[in-house]
Amino acid sequence: MIDGDKVKEMIKQATVMLDQAYVPYSHFPVGAAILTREGKIFAGCNIENASYGLSNCAERTAIFKAISSGYRQFDYLVVIGQTDQPITPCGACRQVMSEFCQSDMPVLMVNSKGDWVSQTIGQLLPDNFKPGDMEYGKQ
């Protein structure tokens, strides 16, 4: 179980990322924070590009920052957006989360009013494409 103070800190860091988001096209800032098994928090924001397919979501930014810093095990993820309902990760982010996080890892989805929903990676992406699925053609 994750400590309540740690979750509050993650929400705070994800919220700060809303102001760091580079969103000149959608004007839709998103912030995220991921907690490593070692207790370190990595925060990220969405970063858009005029060639939309080259944009990167907040969740993936946070995960990639952690991975590129040498962390490989994660315990919790927070994502926040300025939405009416708690924001949910896109399909690409769900797949990346399933690559690097256990299926029972919780994801806290929050809106700017403080409403939230929590689901596991497995609930967000059942029947995900797993690294082991790459072995199919190598038999």
Side-chain angles (χ1 to χ4, degrees):
M1 187 55 124
I2 304 301
D3 177 89
D5 289 337
K6 187 64 88 170
V7 172
K8 288 178 186 174
E9 178 61 26
M10 292 179 71
I11 293 170
K12 179 181 174 185
Q13 288 192 34
T15 302
V16 167
M17 288 291 104
L18 293 171
D19 291 331
Q20 298 301 319
Y22 178 74
V23 290
Y25 309 105
S26 72
H27 307 286
F28 187 77
V30 179
I34 192 159
L35 178 67
T36 69
R37 181 77 32 91
E38 296 81 4
K40 186 162 175 58
I41 298 171
F42 286 88
C45 61
N46 52 329
I47 304 166
E48 295 179 345
N49 189 285
S51 175
Y52 291 140
L54 300 179
S55 297
N56 200 54
C57 298
E59 301 93 308
R60 287 182 281 150
T61 299
I63 291 168
F64 294 162
K65 284 170 67 175
I67 295 292
S68 66
S69 295
Y71 295 89
R72 298 289 187 275
Q73 295 182 319
F74 305 101
D75 286 340
Y76 206 81
L77 178 73
V78 170
V79 59
I80 187 167
Q82 296 172 335
T83 51
D84 289 333
Q85 301 299 319
I87 194 165
T88 61
C90 74
C93 287
R94 292 173 192 218
Q95 181 60 45
V96 168
M97 287 186 276
S98 76
E99 175 81 14
F100 295 108
C101 306
Q102 297 295 315
S103 64
D104 62 347
M105 189 188 90
V107 177
L108 184 69
M109 298 161 282
V110 186
N111 67 11
S112 55
K113 298 182 286 187
D115 301 326
W116 60 270
V117 173
S118 181
Q119 291 186 316
T120 65
I121 301 286
Q123 290 171 312
L124 288 169
L125 189 64
D127 302 320
N128 64 316
F129 188 80
K130 300 173 271 321
D133 293 336
M134 298 291 290
E135 300 301 317
Y136 178 75
K138 297 181 182 180
Q139 296 176 352

